[in-house]
Amino acid sequence: MTQLPPTANRAWTIVAVSYDRPAARRLTQALHREQFATYGRADNPENTPVREFDPPHGVFLVGADPDGTALACGGWRTAGPGTAEIKRMYVNPAVRGCGLGRRILEDLERNARLHGMSRMILETGVKNHAALTLYARCGYSLTEPYVYGRDPRINRALSRVL
């Protein structure tokens, strides 16, 4: 795959897929490897039940290049009444900064609203500066941790009202 500069105009395709599809598994495993390399530990995406992303209680999206190469992913799942949790957001390093992560985030929010969600929550790592910047630009702000036992030196919980 040829790496294009971040300013290159891209015709991304973003589609909903089952969480157990091969492209989704490849991307979530790449995310896991990256998180493990950065923090020395990471939640294994294989431990997330596939059905958690099934509509109407969630969705899992994969973003691809015009040639069909899957390069990014993300999903939401119901976390409580009116609340959706964003999970497994990942963009291949070769295309970071090209707007694909923002497109997936916007599509997740739109889909969650269509399913009655009014609030989004998520966790990301303190060292994931690109993700923290993206979420801040999209209106997310720090919130109280919502997963028991998380290390506040590593994890940041964010939320946004839709």
Side-chain angles (χ1 to χ4, degrees), residues 12 17 41 49 55-57 67-68 72-73 83 86 103 106 111 122 126 135-136 139 161-162:
W12 306 114
V17 300
R41 62 182 170 198
H57 305 289
D67 68 1
C73 65
T83 301
I86 294 174
R103 284 267 322 275
E106 290 169 350
N111 185 275
L122 64 93
V126 67
Y135 296 131
V161 174
L162 294 177

Side-chain angles (χ1 to χ4, degrees), residues 8-151:
N9 187 13
R10 304 277 179 106
W12 306 114
T13 302
I14 299 175
V15 296
V17 300
S18 176
Y19 184 64
D20 63 353
R21 298 298 301 161
R25 290 297 187 190
R26 279 192 305 277
L27 291 164
T28 58
Q29 285 301 320
L31 169 64
H32 183 257
R33 287 189 300 274
E34 189 173 302
Q35 290 173 329
F36 195 86
T38 302
Y39 301 105
R41 62 182 170 198
D43 294 339
N44 187 339
E46 301 293 325
N47 294 339
T48 301
V50 173
R51 297 185 62 90
E52 287 195 12
F53 295 106
D54 285 353
H57 305 289
V59 72
F60 198 80
L61 303 178
V62 169
D65 241 352
D67 68 1
T69 303
L71 297 169
C73 65
W76 72 265
R77 64 184 182 182
T78 301
T83 301
E85 180 185 23
I86 294 174
K87 296 292 291 179
R88 311 287 183 243
M89 283 285 293
Y90 175 76
V91 177
N92 182 299
V95 294
R96 288 183 184 160
C98 295
L100 183 53
R102 185 180 195 108
R103 284 267 322 275
I104 287 180
L105 181 60
E106 290 169 350
D107 284 3
L108 289 172
E109 291 173 344
R110 189 175 307 111
N111 185 275
R113 270 192 301 272
L114 289 172
H115 288 91
M117 300 295 145
S118 58
R119 179 174 180 249
M120 303 295 279
I121 59 173
L122 64 93
E123 279 190 336
T124 193
V126 67
K127 294 180 183 178
N128 194 341
H129 303 291
L132 289 165
T133 299
L134 169 66
Y135 296 131
R137 286 181 179 162
C138 292
Y140 287 78
S141 58
L142 290 174
T143 192
E144 289 297 313
Y146 59 90
V147 178
Y148 177 77
R150 291 294 199 207
D151 186 342

